[in-house]
Amino acid sequence: EPVLCCPNDPDDAKKLSEIGTPKIDEVFIGSCMTNIGHFRAAGELLRNFEGQIPTKLWVAPPTKMDEAQLTKEGYFSIYGKVGARTEMPGCSLCMGTQARVADK
C-alpha cells in the first residue's frame, strides 16, 4: 500500500487508506532512502501519459550514478515530457534545500 508523507514533515507519514482520496497537489520522489527501481516505476507510470500532469512533481535521485543510469534508460526524458521538475542528486526537499512544498 502506498505511503504518503503529509506536508511539511516527512515524519508525518500515513498509509493511503488512512487518508482516503485527497487531491494530491505536490509529489516528491527522492531521498537517500529510495532506490533506482522507484524512479523506474514512476517513469513507467508516466510513460504513456499525454500532456502535463496536473500535480507538481519533483524528482531527485539519491546519487549521480543513479541520475546517469536513469538518463541513459530514457527516464529523465519521460519526466521532462510530463512537466516534472528534476533536481540535482543528493539531499533535496527532505531537508528543504531546493524548494518547499506549499503549506497545508
Side-chain angles (χ1 to χ4, degrees):
E1 176 175 8
V3 175
L4 306 173
C5 293
C6 302
N8 275 308
D9 181 0
D11 290 330
D12 186 9
K14 295 181 173 73
K15 292 180 180 177
L16 183 58
S17 61
E18 294 176 62
I19 295 173
T21 54
K23 180 177 182 284
I24 298 175
D25 299 310
E26 300 173 306
V27 174
F28 172 60
I29 303 171
S31 89
C32 58
M33 300 305 291
T34 56
N35 68 56
I36 197 165
H38 298 133
F39 297 93
R40 289 177 176 136
E44 292 304 321
L45 288 171
L46 297 169
R47 181 180 296 280
N48 295 315
F49 192 87
E50 296 294 328
Q52 303 285 293
I53 57 174
T55 300
K56 188 182 291 185
L57 171 61
W58 286 279
V59 178
T63 67
K64 289 181 181 180
M65 184 173 67
D66 286 346
E67 177 187 44
Q69 185 63 37
L70 291 164
T71 299
K72 181 179 175 182
E73 294 174 10
Y75 289 108
F76 266 63
S77 294
I78 294 169
Y79 306 143
K81 178 187 74 135
V82 299
R85 178 176 165 174
T86 53
E87 301 291 343
M88 295 182 342
C91 294
S92 185
L93 291 178
C94 298
M95 292 180 44
T97 58
Q98 292 169 329
R100 177 177 162 80
V101 296
D103 290 327
K104 292 182 181 180

